[in-house]
Amino acid sequence: MSSIVDKGKQVVEEILEVYPQKLKNDRTEHFEIADEELVNCGTCSIKSNMKSRPGVMTARGCAYAGSKGVVWGPIKDMVHISHGPIGCGQYSWGTRRNYANGTLGINNFTAMQITSNFQEKDIVFGGDKKLEVICREIKEMFPLAKGISVQSECPVGLIGDDIGAVAKKMTGELGIPVIPVRCEGFRGVSQSLGHHIANDAIRDFLMGRRELEECGPYDVSIIGDYNIGGDAWASRILLEEMGLRVIAQWSGDGTINELGIAHKSKLNLIHCHRSMNYMCATMEQEYGIPWMEYNFFGPTKTVESLRAIAARFDETIQEKCEQVIAQYMPQMEAVIRKYRPRLEGKKVMLLIGGLRARHTIGAYEDLGMEIVATGYEFAHKDDYEKTFPDVKEGTILYDDPTAYELEELAQRLNIDLMGAGVKEKYVYHKMGIPFRQMHSWDYSGPYHGFDGFKIFARDMDMTINSPVWSLLPSRQTVEVSV
Amino acid sequence: MSERLNIVDHNQLFRQEKYVRQREGKRAFEAPCSPEEVTSTLEYTKTTEYKDKNFARTAVVVNPAKACQPLGAVMAALGFEKTLPFIHGSQGCTAYFRSHLARHFKEPVPAVSTSMTEDAAVFGGMRNLIDGIENCIALYQPQMIAVCTTCMAEVIGDDLSAFLANARQEGALPEDMPVPFANTPSFSGSHITGYDAMLRSVLETLYNKSGRTPQPGHELKLNVLLGFEGYTGNFAEMRRILELFGVPYTILGDHSSNFDSGATGEYSYYYGGTPLEDVPKAADAAGTLAIQQHSLRKTLGYIKRTWGQQLSSISTPLGIRATDRLLEEISRLSGIEIPEALKQERARILDAMMDSHTYLHGKRVAMAGDPDMLIGLIGFCLELGMEPVHIVCSNGDRKFEKEAELLLKSSPYGTEATVHCGQDLWHMRSLLFEDPVDLAIGSSHLKFAAKEANIPLLRVGFPIFDRHHLHRYPIIGYQGALNLLTQFVNTILDVMEEQAPDHSFDLVR
């Protein structure tokens, strides 16, 4: 075993030393240091998808956040009711930046907070009657809404409301699909179960329900792209430029119709594997649609992915694919020429949700940056297996790390950039460590595709090389000469 | 700088022709409404007919201007030294509170959760609470743990008092560690209710623990309560005023340093807050002054009942008269005359108001926010000759409504105003279309309605997610009035200049 692996193990052990025994035992299982063998064979023993320990600061959210916040919320022509008390809907209102075209409040309801605002009496007497009234009122207030989803918050499940029955009744009465989603926040161990529950509802109520007038040989769907800062648009453009026809976006800037016709695809292309693999598997099973994972972060991975996608089609597409690559590569080279010297050798640590902890590694590497530690908020075993081939020996992997573990690691590894969420951001600012929010791109983006990589590179440079860091008395930063 | 690249992000990128074409192409799969349908529906939603329907709805709430109780409880907990907010219930809530507060203050928000899941829903969350306490003490070494509940714990009826007693018995919770707790279900009240519940619990817990008996007036000292306060700058301003008076004071619940700490190269979980030992001593103060009376009802009730002090409670002192009142109350409670320096300050701010009032006079205003802030804003607008027209308070009650109406009646500029308690920002949207105004004042959430109404939004209140540093500048006191005045008048001038024809693009304003 190499010394770098030993060193990593030692660092982790030291950090976990302060924990009470039970917590220490638990947390130890959620770390792994990549050694050559692991990297080569892609196997790992890291524990994931387990309950967070109480009393620590986990970065995780809940099933509601996964369902309403991630999967359903971006579907723009439906009204999503945050069903229950006021808070959940308020905190998930417009904060994820899943962009959608349309007129807000008329035919686009993404950046809105529509809630049943449960009061004590609703807890005591149940909220089903109220939910009926709400559905009718939504039909009145938002006549162009093509559907309604009912996103359950904790109390709804606990008091035993039958939102399924209400939804069924209202679907009949209103003539638009009303879809119950039992994504109460106490279900499961993280937002990941929320994705699953959300997808199950899509499967049960929408998938395969609509027709596509004319099918074509090049029809594909984008699965698991939530259009953060316009990501899905920056991805779609490449697929279209290489001659494919994107018939559905699940679910960023998505519509109820796209959810209903995706089963007509010839190939499903999944970006966020963690949130929507169930749907690809289901469509494969039910409709025989093949699917593949792709990665549009950074030119290396984007080119690789574009070619892999093209390989699923004929020569026309493959030729066009090469043209697209050739068209964008000079731009990518210019970006790398400019930014790589400024970012070469910079050490990066990441904690992101379900896929970016590995998907973005290539993009950082395109800029000469090195991932020294990475991990997921809510990944499962397969995510870690997929991560190993992408990391170097000695990289520290963590699952559902506590804020404390990350803070300690960041300091001991002397990193140059931390990429995590808004809850973490300001902690690292205090420490004088450059930080990017890697859930919502720090209000920037898109980061996907070739157009996105330009912004990604610019943002990493502006973050790491800001003169502001050098003003901190206790943190040494090396100015990059330009 | 090296090679110049033209990098455009989301704001410009998607205006490029290729993306415009993409957008149009995508419609083929969207089964969209026709543009005519969208336009006619949009127009319909601006009509009186729609407004009437909007106001007739009884169940659905659209874009409310309120958050939930535990968010306020977290803020209250962070008002005390080395205190860890501890939220008992499912963990997603804690993530939401932390991110919501972080987005407003642009600061870290330490808080932990008991991470209850399905099994806790069945068996109760006691084990989670006890383990959680043990873990968080080992990890974050708090002096105090402030426990509040989420809906989940409330619905299943977890008994915090019994659980905490068990935690002590098991030795997970040291005997001498104070653990105030508050029941803060999201299904009643709002963030301000939760703030109040937790603050009251902190005061009561620390006071009871001290074993003292109150000696009101024993010390020439004032207790000051700022309430659910989104402005760290208001704490600084309050301190400055009290120091000008020379009156000793204790701020009960001072979260300003926890939400405005420096970047030094080191991170600490705890940056400040009211020292715990100051709380029992506060019972001996000459009086208590609260500047958010609607947000502090339970706390003030406790102080009155238990500590027996002179109490003074006003709403957020925005503008001149409200600040006069603040100073009079400080003077009354402390027995110290209003300092000359503040009188001079008042004169200077008045001078500034005279300089600027012409641009603000007669401007019709819509506003939304928390009750205390709205009372303050109404007052200040009336002083400037601005006319409050639509006032929406999602978390206001009859008491607030009456107070607001009384205040509006006191001025000829308030005659057009209507107060809408318990309504939301979708109601506000209808109001803005039916009876247009010149300006909106409120949190970032009001930006959607303001944009549609084509009026500028003056960002005042909580949360402000989309502008930087506003919360660092005080809005209370005379100095705060100047800050608001500056923001108000210059926004109006910006709008004027945007709209000015060449001949009226004046150099001098």
Side-chain angles (χ1 to χ4, degrees):
Chain A
M1 204 176 284
S2 69
S3 65
I4 185 165
V5 174
D6 285 339
K7 201 178 152 225
K9 285 197 167 140
Q10 196 192 330
V11 166
V12 171
E13 263 171 41
E14 277 170 24
I15 289 172
L16 301 184
E17 207 46 56
V18 303
Y19 284 146
Q21 197 57 45
K22 200 163 136 193
L23 177 56
K24 188 177 161 187
N25 293 347
D26 177 272
R27 288 303 310 152
T28 305
E29 298 185 322
H30 295 266
F31 278 89
E32 190 136 68
I33 321 294
D35 62 27
E36 215 168 286
E37 200 184 327
L38 288 173
V39 171
N40 288 339
C41 69
T43 56
C44 61
S45 60
I46 193 167
K47 280 264 190 305
S48 61
N49 200 30
M50 311 280 276
K51 272 189 222 177
S52 306
R53 301 310 309 160
V56 303
M57 280 179 237
T58 165
R60 281 176 169 176
C62 64
Y64 165 89
S67 177
K68 190 268 183 178
V70 176
V71 176
W72 281 95
I75 301 165
K76 64 182 175 182
D77 58 354
M78 295 177 71
V79 167
H80 308 292
I81 305 170
S82 292
H83 187 47
I86 194 84
C88 318
Q90 199 71 358
Y91 306 130
S92 55
W93 176 8
T95 50
R96 206 158 179 268
R97 301 183 60 247
N98 34 253
Y99 288 165
N101 287 311
T103 306
L104 194 66
I106 306 300
N107 65 341
N108 166 19
F109 307 97
T110 48
M112 296 185 76
Q113 137 66 329
I114 291 155
T115 172
S116 41
N117 187 30
F118 260 37
Q119 298 299 301
E120 205 131 358
K121 63 177 191 303
D122 301 311
I123 302 290
V124 177
F125 300 111
D128 285 347
K129 285 275 167 256
K130 186 178 191 176
L131 182 58
E132 284 186 18
V133 181
I134 287 171
C135 291
R136 289 187 195 108
E137 286 179 353
I138 285 173
K139 182 83 179 157
E140 287 267 298
M141 303 315 306
F142 308 110
L144 299 188
K146 298 277 182 65
I148 294 172
S149 81
V150 183
Q151 307 283 325
S152 293
E153 299 171 10
C154 287
V156 173
L158 294 168
I159 63 177
D161 273 7
D162 188 357
I163 61 165
V166 178
K168 198 169 176 188
K169 180 177 171 190
M170 297 322 289
T171 301
E173 184 183 318
L174 302 177
I176 53 171
V178 178
I179 298 162
V181 190
R182 306 234 56 149
C183 56
E184 290 87 349
F186 61 82
R187 294 190 195 276
V189 302
S190 70
Q191 47 269 66
S192 182
L193 184 66
H195 304 150
H196 203 150
I197 293 167
N199 288 317
D200 285 352
I202 291 175
R203 176 196 65 202
D204 295 343
F205 293 91
L206 296 174
M207 196 181 80
R209 301 291 176 96
R210 301 283 175 103
E211 281 307 314
L212 180 63
E213 270 180 25
E214 276 179 51
C215 295
Y218 303 132
D219 290 353
V220 298
S221 296
I222 290 177
I223 310 289
D225 190 324
Y226 302 100
N227 208 31
I228 310 299
D231 278 340
W233 296 330
S235 298
R236 185 185 183 109
I237 204 96
L238 299 178
L239 300 174
E240 288 179 341
E241 282 173 351
M242 71 192 260
L244 301 175
R245 193 169 81 138
V246 180
I247 63 164
Q249 269 175 226
W250 286 29
S251 62
D253 191 36
T255 55
I256 206 164
N257 196 61
E258 288 167 83
L259 295 168
I261 61 174
H263 68 293
K264 295 287 182 188
S265 300
K266 295 294 179 291
L267 178 67
N268 278 330
L269 298 170
I270 185 163
H271 207 251
C272 182
H273 178 272
R274 183 70 274 132
S275 58
M276 279 210 175
N277 54 355
Y278 328 99
M279 296 320 293
C280 289
T282 308
M283 280 191 270
E284 183 172 43
Q285 210 175 346
E286 305 232 336
Y287 307 100
I289 302 167
W291 55 287
M292 61 177 283
E293 205 175 346
Y294 68 109
N295 176 358
F296 274 2
F297 284 105
T300 303
K301 292 290 176 188
T302 306
V303 167
E304 234 172 68
S305 293
L306 284 172
R307 287 190 174 132
I309 294 167
R312 302 292 197 108
F313 295 92
D314 59 22
E315 279 174 11
T316 329
I317 299 293
Q318 287 157 17
E319 246 167 61
K320 273 197 193 164
C321 170
E322 290 306 321
Q323 285 166 14
V324 171
I325 293 169
Q327 177 204 330
Y328 282 99
M329 274 330 271
Q331 298 174 28
M332 295 299 99
E333 282 154 15
V335 168
I336 289 170
R337 200 160 53 237
K338 170 162 179 167
Y339 291 113
R340 189 164 176 134
R342 304 159 65 85
L343 296 169
E344 190 85 55
K346 297 290 182 190
K347 290 192 278 186
V348 184
M349 220 175 111
L350 299 171
L351 172 72
I352 329 180
L355 91 120
R356 293 159 178 174
R358 67 172 176 279
H359 262 188
T360 56
I361 293 174
Y364 284 110
E365 285 176 349
D366 282 336
L367 295 167
M369 299 163 79
E370 184 194 348
I371 307 296
V372 293
T374 187
Y376 301 89
E377 283 179 12
F378 51 81
H380 300 209
K381 193 175 172 57
D382 53 346
D383 292 297
Y384 288 99
E385 283 170 354
K386 285 179 181 158
T387 309
F388 273 107
D390 281 332
V391 296
K392 293 201 174 79
E393 182 156 78
T395 305
I396 298 176
L397 290 142
Y398 33 68
D399 174 70
D400 183 27
T402 68
Y404 156 80
E405 291 162 13
L406 293 177
E407 289 149 20
E408 286 293 318
L409 268 178
Q411 285 168 314
R412 289 166 197 241
L413 299 176
N414 196 23
I415 58 168
D416 301 291
L417 179 70
M418 178 74 186
V422 69
K423 300 190 294 296
E424 291 78 43
K425 174 169 177 157
Y426 302 103
V427 170
Y428 293 86
H429 282 186
K430 303 294 169 200
M431 294 199 267
I433 296 175
F435 186 97
R436 287 300 296 177
Q437 257 188 76
M438 293 299 285
H439 299 268
S440 63
W441 308 150
D442 244 332
Y443 321 111
S444 179
Y447 281 179
H448 289 181
F450 292 127
D451 285 334
F453 179 68
K454 298 178 197 170
I455 302 160
F456 176 85
R458 179 201 67 182
D459 287 1
M460 296 311 142
D461 172 55
M462 74 157 85
T463 303
I464 290 179
N465 292 315
S466 166
V468 72
W469 307 111
S470 65
L471 299 173
L472 259 91
S474 56
R475 190 171 160 83
Q476 300 280 320
T477 43
V478 182
E479 282 288 321
V480 176
S481 54
V482 282
Chain B
M1 288 281 142
S2 56
E3 189 173 0
R4 176 177 291 202
L5 298 174
N6 182 25
I7 294 176
V8 290
D9 66 15
H10 58 94
N11 221 11
Q12 291 298 327
L13 179 66
F14 301 117
R15 295 177 196 200
Q16 290 178 0
E17 206 207 321
K18 65 178 183 180
Y19 284 106
V20 174
R21 276 203 310 272
Q22 178 191 80
R23 192 152 65 232
E24 285 162 4
K26 183 175 179 289
R27 286 174 59 82
F29 310 101
E30 291 182 342
C33 305
S34 69
E36 297 73 35
E37 230 177 336
V38 174
T39 311
S40 68
T41 307
L42 177 62
E43 289 314 311
Y44 161 65
T45 63
K46 298 176 182 175
T47 60
T48 306
E49 185 194 345
Y50 186 83
K51 184 201 153 200
D52 292 343
K53 269 190 189 168
N54 195 5
F55 274 77
R57 66 184 148 97
T58 59
V60 72
V61 169
V62 183
N63 298 353
K66 66 169 179 177
C68 72
Q69 284 210 51
L71 178 89
V74 170
M75 184 189 268
L78 290 172
F80 293 86
E81 200 178 54
K82 291 198 81 175
T83 297
L84 185 67
F86 186 111
I87 299 133
H88 182 51
S90 37
Q91 75 192 4
C93 311
T94 304
Y96 277 144
F97 309 143
R98 293 179 66 208
S99 51
H100 203 73
L101 290 167
R103 286 190 175 105
H104 174 80
F105 289 108
K106 318 239 181 277
E107 292 289 318
V109 183
V112 299
S113 161
T114 45
S115 295
M116 282 162 69
T117 56
E118 288 101 329
D119 54 345
V122 178
F123 302 112
M126 187 174 83
R127 204 61 255 159
N128 297 58
L129 187 87
I130 296 175
D131 289 352
I133 283 178
E134 193 191 354
N135 290 341
C136 79
I137 290 174
L139 206 47
Y140 308 111
Q141 292 163 3
Q143 248 175 46
M144 178 162 87
I145 300 172
V147 184
C148 63
T149 51
T150 72
C151 295
M152 180 189 186
E154 287 297 315
V155 171
I156 66 172
D158 270 5
D159 183 348
L160 285 183
S161 175
F163 289 3
L164 289 170
N166 290 344
R168 289 199 203 271
Q169 219 166 23
E170 277 194 29
L173 178 58
E175 268 311 313
D176 59 345
M177 165 93 65
V179 183
F181 64 90
N183 295 96
T184 49
S186 182
F187 47 79
S188 73
S190 71
H191 54 287
I192 61 172
T193 330
Y195 180 89
D196 193 18
M198 182 54 89
L199 182 63
R200 177 195 179 280
S201 179
V202 170
L203 300 190
E204 185 174 19
T205 303
L206 292 175
Y207 181 70
N208 289 349
K209 189 171 171 282
S210 74
R212 294 159 71 114
T213 41
Q215 296 177 282
H218 188 70
E219 281 194 71
L220 171 67
K221 203 172 175 185
L222 281 189
N223 299 323
V224 181
L225 284 68
L226 276 79
F228 185 96
E229 178 56 83
Y231 287 78
T232 54
N234 281 353
F235 286 90
E237 183 60 13
M238 185 52 96
R239 275 191 224 105
R240 190 182 69 91
I241 291 171
L242 291 161
E243 273 150 29
L244 282 170
F245 266 94
V247 55
Y249 62 90
T250 303
I251 294 180
L252 292 174
D254 181 354
H255 52 255
S256 62
S257 30
N258 281 326
F259 286 130
D260 187 14
S261 59
T264 60
E266 276 173 51
Y267 169 62
S268 154
Y269 295 108
Y270 314 106
Y271 285 97
T274 306
L276 305 191
E277 71 265 19
D278 284 3
V279 171
K281 290 186 207 154
D284 297 345
T288 291
L289 171 69
I291 63 165
Q292 279 189 8
Q293 53 181 337
H294 296 281
S295 314
L296 289 163
R297 286 178 194 165
K298 278 186 207 152
T299 305
L300 292 172
Y302 167 76
I303 292 175
K304 190 175 175 188
R305 262 195 324 276
T306 317
W307 296 357
Q309 289 168 359
Q310 300 188 75
L311 272 189
S312 172
S313 59
I314 57 173
S315 287
T316 312
L318 305 183
I320 300 301
R321 283 203 186 87
T323 302
D324 292 349
R325 171 107 194 269
L326 169 75
L327 303 187
E328 282 156 18
E329 291 302 303
I330 296 173
S331 174
R332 182 174 70 81
L333 293 170
S334 67
I336 301 170
E337 285 209 4
I338 297 172
E340 195 53 37
L342 284 169
K343 289 181 183 165
Q344 284 173 18
E345 199 172 298
R346 182 185 197 275
R348 285 205 308 279
I349 310 303
L350 275 187
D351 188 69
M353 285 167 68
M354 288 165 195
D355 299 345
S356 303
H357 82 277
T358 48
Y359 293 102
L360 298 166
H361 192 99
K363 287 281 182 282
R364 292 158 49 81
V365 180
M367 55 178 82
D370 288 338
D372 287 297
M373 195 200 72
L374 284 174
I375 297 287
L377 278 174
I378 294 167
F380 187 40
C381 286
L382 296 176
E383 288 172 351
L384 288 164
M386 296 166 83
E387 297 173 20
V389 178
H390 311 302
I391 296 153
V392 168
C393 190
S394 298
N395 53 353
D397 58 8
R398 273 302 294 159
K399 206 169 163 188
F400 156 77
E401 196 175 328
K402 274 188 189 159
E403 190 188 344
E405 278 165 358
L406 207 66
L407 177 59
L408 288 159
K409 269 191 200 137
S410 71
S411 159
Y413 299 97
T415 51
E416 286 214 36
T418 320
V419 183
H420 304 273
C421 275
Q423 310 289 55
D424 54 46
L425 300 179
W426 199 252
H427 292 114
M428 175 66 99
R429 180 180 181 274
S430 279
L431 293 168
L432 292 176
F433 285 129
E434 172 155 281
D435 190 5
V437 299
D438 304 302
L439 280 170
I441 310 178
S443 78
S444 296
H445 285 134
L446 189 50
K447 75 189 284 181
F448 301 102
K451 187 185 180 197
E452 282 200 82
N454 197 25
I455 53 174
L457 171 64
L458 304 169
R459 285 166 178 79
V460 183
F462 176 93
I464 296 174
F465 287 162
D466 60 342
R467 291 293 183 273
H468 281 213
H469 310 307
L470 289 177
H471 67 280
R472 297 176 193 267
Y473 295 87
I475 60 168
I476 62 165
Y478 299 132
Q479 194 59 46
L482 180 63
N483 287 338
L484 283 183
L485 176 73
T486 307
Q487 189 189 345
F488 288 13
V489 71
N490 290 327
T491 303
I492 295 209
L493 291 175
D494 283 344
V495 172
M496 260 182 84
E497 303 219 323
E498 266 167 38
Q499 296 169 352
D502 287 351
H503 56 72
S504 300
F505 194 67
D506 292 329
L507 176 67
V508 188
R509 299 276 190 203

